[in-house]
Amino acid sequence: MNHTGSQIIGNSFSAEGDHTFQAFDPQRQEWLPQTFREATPGEIDQAVNLAAQAFEQYKKVPAKQRAAFLLAIADGIAALGDELPQTASAESGLPLARLHGERDRTTGQLRLFANLITEGSWVNARIDKATPDVRQMQIPVGVIGIFGASNFPLAFSVAGGDTAAALAAGCTVVFKAHPAHPHTSHLVAGVIRTAANNTGMPEGVFSLLHGATVETGQQLAVHPRLSAIAFTGSFRGGKALYETATRRAVPIPVYAEMGSVNPVFFLPGILKEKGEALATQFLQSLTMGVGQFCTNPGVFVAPAEDNTFITALQNGIGNMTGGFMLTPSILTAYNSGISGLQQAGAQLLGKAADKGQQATPYLLQVSAAQALEDPSLCHEVFGPSSLHIRADSKEELYKLANGLEGQLTATVHGTEEDLREHAELINILREKAGRIIINGFPTGVAVNHAMVHGGPWPATTPAAGTSVGTAAIYRFCRPVCFQDFPAYLLPPELQDENPMGIWRLLNGNFSKDAC
Amino acid sequence: MNHTGSQIIGNSFSAEGDHTFQAFDPQRQEWLPQTFREATPGEIDQAVNLAAQAFEQYKKVPAKQRAAFLLAIADGIAALGDELPQTASAESGLPLARLHGERDRTTGQLRLFANLITEGSWVNARIDKATPDVRQMQIPVGVIGIFGASNFPLAFSVAGGDTAAALAAGCTVVFKAHPAHPHTSHLVAGVIRTAANNTGMPEGVFSLLHGATVETGQQLAVHPRLSAIAFTGSFRGGKALYETATRRAVPIPVYAEMGSVNPVFFLPGILKEKGEALATQFLQSLTMGVGQFCTNPGVFVAPAEDNTFITALQNGIGNMTGGFMLTPSILTAYNSGISGLQQAGAQLLGKAADKGQQATPYLLQVSAAQALEDPSLCHEVFGPSSLHIRADSKEELYKLANGLEGQLTATVHGTEEDLREHAELINILREKAGRIIINGFPTGVAVNHAMVHGGPWPATTPAAGTSVGTAAIYRFCRPVCFQDFPAYLLPPELQDENPMGIWRLLNGNFSKDAC
């Protein structure tokens, strides 16, 4: 029997529902034949209850065994070979080369979290030996409901960063697959199921639910045994989950990454020095992946009178071609976003040639005064368009920066003289974004210890989280304090002898010593 | 001119409003003569705007100068001499000895945070030297609205733990004083005002607002330039602020500590060994401060048939006396809480003698079945009462533990044999509370690095925060990532040379080295 269209609840396949949906192949412009069943309320309930039961076991699994589980997932994903990128490419329209890279990023993330928990210091053990004796560490919060993104069918999807962080922390996961790539999701969930069995994890540590409707996601979000939600996607989708979760009888945190316009500021000196090269690099960042990145530079601020840069942008975009977007509805939203900006008074600065069902890269332009007056001009249009805000004075630059909503990133291009002259700009941008980039581009998010992929509302909620990098694990934890515990009841991380050899804060000082 | 009844907005005293209120002296059972003016919407707006302006300066003040500010506050509080505890005692009914101790705790907290930021490693610097070069640290979020608690007129009030943590982080503060101790609040705010001036802090780094109505607090909570809220008080009050803050156009986090019933489990072996001594200690913990602690043990679970312990409790409470509560409305709520429990079927186990306007310590009793059936029996009744839940089997104990709502603390008393036998009880309680105590009592919260004063809803929101101890500082921060920054733009904490000599995570390894 073909289980491809079913939910994967623990070890079982479940196909209770009557509502089905299909994925779309953007390259071929046709619906793919495989049908997927929308999860029923009963299946959602079953998955979360099983995950809650599994949590009782999984939270006790030693870190090294959880690490083995993560590594087995990474190995299993690699072992799928070409089937995985090919399936993802058919469902997303993204090119194979990109998906090979994204697969490696996905397995790399899993291995990074495996290393993190094997080393063990991430639990932030704190010991105050006094009367009373108190010891603190981070513990997992429970069952996490994770909502995959459309634009990264691997790295921000079923076995993506959120899942890796949650499983690493010791939480169990109920994953709501994005309906744009259900077959890809099915393949990866199958890998997780096998890895869980092969490494002896409790059944239900991970389940996969399909759904193309808002209701399915909402039913998951209100389940009383859910402890937190992670989401990557649109502002509308993230906000709806946030509202639902905060209105529950027992509210739970929602870690929603809702994107932003990632403003790029070009200062005058550097434009004179290398305006043409910057134009080329900017257009590359703008149109990479058909502009379908959360960190896509949707707004840039540059003087009006610098013709080299602007002319190079106009020439450059005129010679570009479009690309297929992830789904027909994303293309529709992109086109209506462009029209909306033009209706709101943005002028056409340049565009690529129109090409059938592909998204056309656009550059639009407004004055600083227009941008300051109408904040909706700086709302995200997901895709390969960017809005040039003309700003000629430092005063205008600072006003524009101060007027920004919360962002994932903010970028400044400048010579040393520019940057020293505009130091206050960077001070302002610190309050607006989770990541500030100097002389680079926001697309491309390194997965390491220092990365922040998050930012003030409406970029994410809450601003204190990151969904990329090892610090992402803390979203799924809370501190617990053990007071006057006898040694035999303490978790190993907090025992006097420090059997795990981790860094701990002993009476306020970092140390690997016993105490 | 007497400014005692005014708001303190930066350096100015403001008395715009017409609505006034007075504090009550519980010992003398009379209203105190001084009137205080409820802050007007204009004054609230002015205070927050000034705090937002001050933040632009204050966030750049080096940590050592912020530390000097905190130390100057501590010194100023100490220098108030007897006036402060006397004023607090008149407004709260709390004895002078307790208030001397609370004052020392308050100055100790300020000094602890001064030390923390002087040392500097708390910023969690993370550096990944690679391409790109990314560096992360915690930065302050902005203006914090803090709501003082009634039950700690010093340590959880104007210069209490929340204020110390927020100012240490680099945030500015608008403090809404608790209307039960406005004069105490005025004295301490005056100290902060003087300390800010003497250490060169920007005007508006701290402001004090008075108010006895819900509206004043709500007006503060919706102010667009507020970045976060900290609150200590009732579930109703905390929940109202949480709802307001999450429904704003730009939602902000609310760190509300809303109390709990802090269940204490007495296991059979230890009751046989020292039931009488435990009864005495329990009653001490229950009635300390007239039971007006967030960590007061409002519920305890013990076998029904252990007559030594229960008899000692009954005898003990019969010989106790009551005490004056903080305010008449708290006494009214206490008395109606007791009636409510009795109407819901709780039996009287024992009580102190009634004594006029004082709160009478109470012990009530229900069966495990009753408690499991009616969760409202385990809702907090603020004051010196506790509910005995009779449980004779391990099965009942575990069911009761599993049925608990989120708690600040959970306590287990047992011999080594008891504890080994009931290891699963501690496993369950880890999911329910922020602090687990073995063979101790929940009252008394040590202020250090490892303390957690927080817990799952409804104890606090969110569960990941603590409002006591140095980790409290993280509630007022968020991480920001600096990508490819030239050295001259990096904050000192992230510069290669490590000029501050702090611990940093260099490519994943803790180190104080340069990089």
Side-chain angles (χ1 to χ4, degrees):
Chain A
M1 185 184 167
N2 172 14
H3 291 301
T4 307
S6 307
Q7 329 307 321
I8 306 183
I9 300 176
N11 277 327
S12 304
F13 297 94
S14 178
E16 284 181 8
D18 295 327
H19 296 284
T20 62
F21 65 94
Q22 290 159 265
F24 185 79
D25 183 332
Q27 305 264 8
R28 302 195 176 169
Q29 291 287 306
E30 63 185 29
W31 295 95
L32 290 160
Q34 175 71 50
T35 57
F36 292 83
R37 285 172 198 264
E38 180 105 13
T40 64
E43 286 171 329
I44 295 167
D45 189 49
Q46 203 188 331
V48 181
N49 285 333
L50 192 62
Q53 277 172 42
F55 177 66
E56 295 310 311
Q57 303 306 311
Y58 188 61
K59 70 182 185 187
K60 296 175 193 166
V61 171
K64 283 177 191 173
Q65 289 173 40
R66 295 204 308 275
F69 174 35
L70 294 178
L71 294 175
I73 299 171
D75 291 343
I77 288 172
L80 283 177
D82 288 344
E83 186 185 4
L84 184 62
Q86 278 163 5
T87 306
S89 183
E91 290 186 325
S92 66
L94 295 169
L96 276 176
R98 142 77 192 269
L99 290 162
H100 279 108
E102 191 181 326
R103 179 190 56 192
D104 295 348
R105 178 196 173 116
T106 307
T107 55
Q109 285 176 165
L110 288 158
R111 293 194 174 103
L112 180 69
F113 278 104
N115 287 343
L116 183 79
I117 62 176
T118 301
E119 193 278 329
S121 301
W122 75 273
V123 299
N124 284 348
R126 294 168 159 236
I127 298 178
D128 284 297
K129 278 203 119 170
T131 306
D133 177 300
V134 289
R135 304 179 183 218
Q136 180 193 125
M137 65 179 280
Q138 297 289 324
I139 66 164
V141 292
V143 182
I144 315 298
I146 305 182
F147 290 73
S150 63
N151 59 341
F152 279 87
L154 302 174
F156 285 81
S157 189
V158 177
D162 287 337
T163 299
L167 293 177
C171 292
T172 58
V173 170
V174 175
F175 198 96
K176 160 65 179 60
H178 197 284
H181 52 265
H183 201 153
T184 308
S185 299
H186 176 81
L187 289 175
V188 176
V191 165
I192 301 178
R193 176 172 170 270
T194 305
N197 288 331
N198 289 349
T199 56
M201 297 300 133
E203 185 182 358
V205 66
F206 182 90
S207 289
L208 181 78
L209 300 175
H210 290 292
T213 67
V214 170
E215 288 70 30
T216 301
Q218 289 287 329
Q219 278 155 11
L220 176 56
V222 299
H223 197 289
R225 296 181 83 174
L226 208 64
S227 291
I229 291 171
F231 167 89
T232 306
S234 69
F235 176 67
R236 209 174 59 176
K239 186 164 184 268
L241 284 174
Y242 175 78
E243 286 173 353
T244 298
T246 52
R247 283 156 176 70
R248 292 166 49 121
V250 174
I252 59 175
V254 175
Y255 298 96
E257 194 270 80
M258 304 178 284
S260 62
V261 294
N262 305 291
V264 181
F265 291 80
F266 292 99
L267 299 181
I270 205 157
L271 285 184
K272 290 206 176 70
E273 214 169 78
K274 48 175 187 172
E276 275 194 64
L278 285 175
T280 306
Q281 292 163 20
F282 179 77
L283 289 175
Q284 233 162 22
S285 172
L286 177 66
T287 56
M288 190 194 298
V290 199
Q292 299 167 115
F293 291 112
C294 309
T295 55
N296 196 59
V299 161
F300 66 103
V301 183
E305 86 283 13
D306 189 294
N307 291 314
T308 324
F309 176 62
I310 300 296
T311 307
L313 285 175
Q314 289 175 310
N315 292 338
I317 202 157
N319 293 325
M320 299 191 98
T321 53
F324 292 107
M325 295 196 87
L326 296 155
T327 67
S329 65
I330 287 177
L331 178 63
T332 305
Y334 175 68
N335 288 332
S336 87
I338 300 286
S339 311
L341 286 172
Q342 292 181 311
Q343 279 159 26
Q347 300 295 311
L348 182 68
L349 186 63
K351 65 191 273 284
D354 288 327
K355 206 171 150 197
Q357 292 307 307
Q358 300 191 12
T360 306
Y362 262 89
L363 291 174
L364 300 168
Q365 193 184 60
V366 294
S367 67
Q370 279 176 287
L372 287 166
E373 196 173 302
D374 180 0
S376 79
L377 286 164
C378 289
H379 287 171
E380 186 178 16
V381 174
F382 190 69
S385 81
S386 196
L387 181 74
H388 172 210
I389 304 178
R390 297 188 307 265
D392 291 308
S393 68
K394 209 197 274 188
E395 198 196 354
E396 274 181 336
L397 275 185
Y398 293 0
K399 261 196 201 159
L400 285 167
N402 268 316
L404 287 170
E405 293 188 323
Q407 304 288 336
L408 291 168
T409 71
T411 301
V412 181
H413 282 270
T415 60
E416 177 165 350
E417 202 190 328
D418 282 334
L419 295 170
R420 287 191 187 271
E421 175 74 21
H422 295 81
E424 183 57 21
L425 176 63
I426 291 156
N427 261 320
I428 298 168
L429 295 176
R430 270 171 56 137
E431 308 306 320
K432 300 293 180 177
R435 180 165 57 114
I436 325 286
I437 301 145
I438 302 291
N439 290 330
F441 290 93
T443 44
V445 183
V447 183
N448 51 31
H449 302 283
M451 179 49 60
V452 176
H453 192 60
W457 180 280
T460 56
T461 168
T466 173
S467 66
V468 175
T470 54
I473 198 169
Y474 296 109
R475 296 173 300 161
F476 307 125
C477 299
R478 65 179 177 88
V480 70
C481 174
F482 301 87
Q483 180 169 323
D484 286 335
F485 265 51
Y488 57 90
L489 288 179
L490 277 174
E493 290 88 343
L494 297 178
Q495 290 169 8
D496 281 359
E497 300 74 18
N498 193 15
M500 301 188 59
I502 58 174
W503 287 97
R504 310 190 292 187
L505 199 68
L506 295 184
N507 296 317
N509 300 305
F510 276 107
S511 163
K512 281 192 173 187
D513 293 347
C515 64
Chain B
M1 184 182 167
N2 173 12
H3 291 301
T4 308
S6 307
Q7 328 307 320
I8 305 182
I9 301 176
N11 276 328
S12 304
F13 297 94
S14 179
E16 285 180 6
D18 295 328
H19 295 285
T20 61
F21 65 94
Q22 290 159 265
F24 185 80
D25 183 333
Q27 305 264 10
R28 302 196 175 167
Q29 290 288 305
E30 63 186 30
W31 295 95
L32 290 160
Q34 175 71 49
T35 56
F36 292 84
R37 285 174 199 263
E38 180 104 11
T40 64
E43 287 171 329
I44 295 167
D45 189 50
Q46 202 189 332
V48 180
N49 285 333
L50 192 64
Q53 277 172 40
F55 177 65
E56 294 310 311
Q57 303 306 312
Y58 187 61
K59 69 182 184 185
K60 297 176 191 166
V61 171
K64 283 177 191 174
Q65 289 173 41
R66 295 203 308 276
F69 174 34
L70 295 178
L71 294 175
I73 299 171
D75 291 345
I77 289 172
L80 284 178
D82 288 345
E83 185 185 5
L84 184 62
Q86 278 163 4
T87 306
S89 183
E91 291 187 323
S92 67
L94 295 170
L96 275 176
R98 140 80 192 266
L99 289 163
H100 278 107
E102 191 181 325
R103 179 188 58 192
D104 295 347
R105 178 196 172 116
T106 306
T107 56
Q109 286 176 162
L110 288 158
R111 295 195 172 101
L112 180 69
F113 279 104
N115 287 343
L116 183 79
I117 62 175
T118 301
E119 193 279 329
S121 301
W122 75 273
V123 299
N124 284 348
R126 292 167 160 235
I127 298 179
D128 284 296
K129 277 204 121 171
T131 307
D133 178 300
V134 290
R135 303 177 184 222
Q136 180 192 125
M137 66 178 278
Q138 297 288 325
I139 66 165
V141 293
V143 182
I144 315 299
I146 305 182
F147 291 74
S150 63
N151 59 341
F152 280 88
L154 302 174
F156 285 81
S157 190
V158 177
D162 286 336
T163 299
L167 294 176
C171 293
T172 58
V173 170
V174 175
F175 197 96
K176 160 66 179 62
H178 197 285
H181 53 265
H183 201 154
T184 308
S185 299
H186 175 82
L187 289 175
V188 176
V191 165
I192 300 178
R193 175 173 169 272
T194 305
N197 288 331
N198 289 348
T199 56
M201 298 300 133
E203 185 182 358
V205 67
F206 181 90
S207 288
L208 181 78
L209 300 175
H210 290 291
T213 68
V214 171
E215 288 69 31
T216 301
Q218 289 288 328
Q219 278 156 10
L220 176 56
V222 297
H223 197 289
R225 296 181 83 175
L226 208 63
S227 291
I229 291 171
F231 166 90
T232 307
S234 69
F235 176 68
R236 209 175 59 175
K239 186 164 183 271
L241 284 174
Y242 175 78
E243 287 172 352
T244 298
T246 53
R247 282 155 176 72
R248 291 165 50 118
V250 174
I252 58 175
V254 175
Y255 299 96
E257 194 272 79
M258 304 177 284
S260 62
V261 295
N262 305 291
V264 181
F265 291 78
F266 292 97
L267 299 180
I270 205 157
L271 285 185
K272 290 204 176 72
E273 215 170 76
K274 48 175 187 172
E276 274 194 64
L278 286 175
T280 307
Q281 292 163 19
F282 179 78
L283 289 175
Q284 233 162 20
S285 172
L286 177 68
T287 56
M288 188 194 300
V290 199
Q292 299 167 115
F293 292 112
C294 308
T295 55
N296 195 58
V299 160
F300 66 104
V301 183
E305 85 282 15
D306 189 295
N307 290 314
T308 324
F309 176 62
I310 299 295
T311 307
L313 284 176
Q314 289 174 311
N315 293 338
I317 202 158
N319 294 326
M320 299 191 97
T321 53
F324 293 106
M325 295 196 86
L326 295 156
T327 68
S329 65
I330 288 177
L331 177 63
T332 306
Y334 175 69
N335 287 331
S336 88
I338 300 286
S339 309
L341 286 172
Q342 291 181 312
Q343 278 158 27
Q347 300 295 311
L348 182 68
L349 187 63
K351 63 191 275 284
D354 289 325
K355 206 170 151 197
Q357 292 308 308
Q358 300 191 12
T360 307
Y362 262 88
L363 292 174
L364 300 168
Q365 193 183 60
V366 293
S367 68
Q370 280 176 286
L372 288 166
E373 197 174 304
D374 180 0
S376 79
L377 286 164
C378 288
H379 288 171
E380 186 178 14
V381 174
F382 190 70
S385 80
S386 196
L387 180 74
H388 173 210
I389 304 178
R390 297 188 307 265
D392 290 308
S393 69
K394 210 197 272 188
E395 198 197 354
E396 274 180 336
L397 275 184
Y398 292 1
K399 261 196 203 160
L400 285 166
N402 268 316
L404 287 170
E405 294 187 323
Q407 304 287 336
L408 291 169
T409 71
T411 300
V412 181
H413 282 270
T415 60
E416 177 165 351
E417 201 189 329
D418 281 333
L419 294 170
R420 288 191 187 271
E421 175 74 19
H422 295 80
E424 183 58 21
L425 176 63
I426 292 157
N427 261 320
I428 298 169
L429 294 177
R430 268 171 56 136
E431 307 306 320
K432 300 294 181 179
R435 180 164 56 114
I436 325 287
I437 300 145
I438 302 291
N439 291 330
F441 291 91
T443 43
V445 183
V447 183
N448 52 30
H449 302 282
M451 179 49 60
V452 176
H453 191 61
W457 180 280
T460 56
T461 170
T466 173
S467 66
V468 174
T470 55
I473 199 169
Y474 296 109
R475 297 173 300 161
F476 307 125
C477 299
R478 65 180 176 88
V480 70
C481 174
F482 301 87
Q483 181 170 325
D484 287 335
F485 265 51
Y488 57 89
L489 287 179
L490 276 174
E493 290 88 344
L494 297 178
Q495 290 169 7
D496 280 0
E497 299 73 19
N498 194 15
M500 300 187 61
I502 58 175
W503 286 97
R504 309 190 291 187
L505 199 67
L506 296 184
N507 297 317
N509 301 305
F510 276 107
S511 163
K512 280 193 171 185
D513 293 346
C515 65

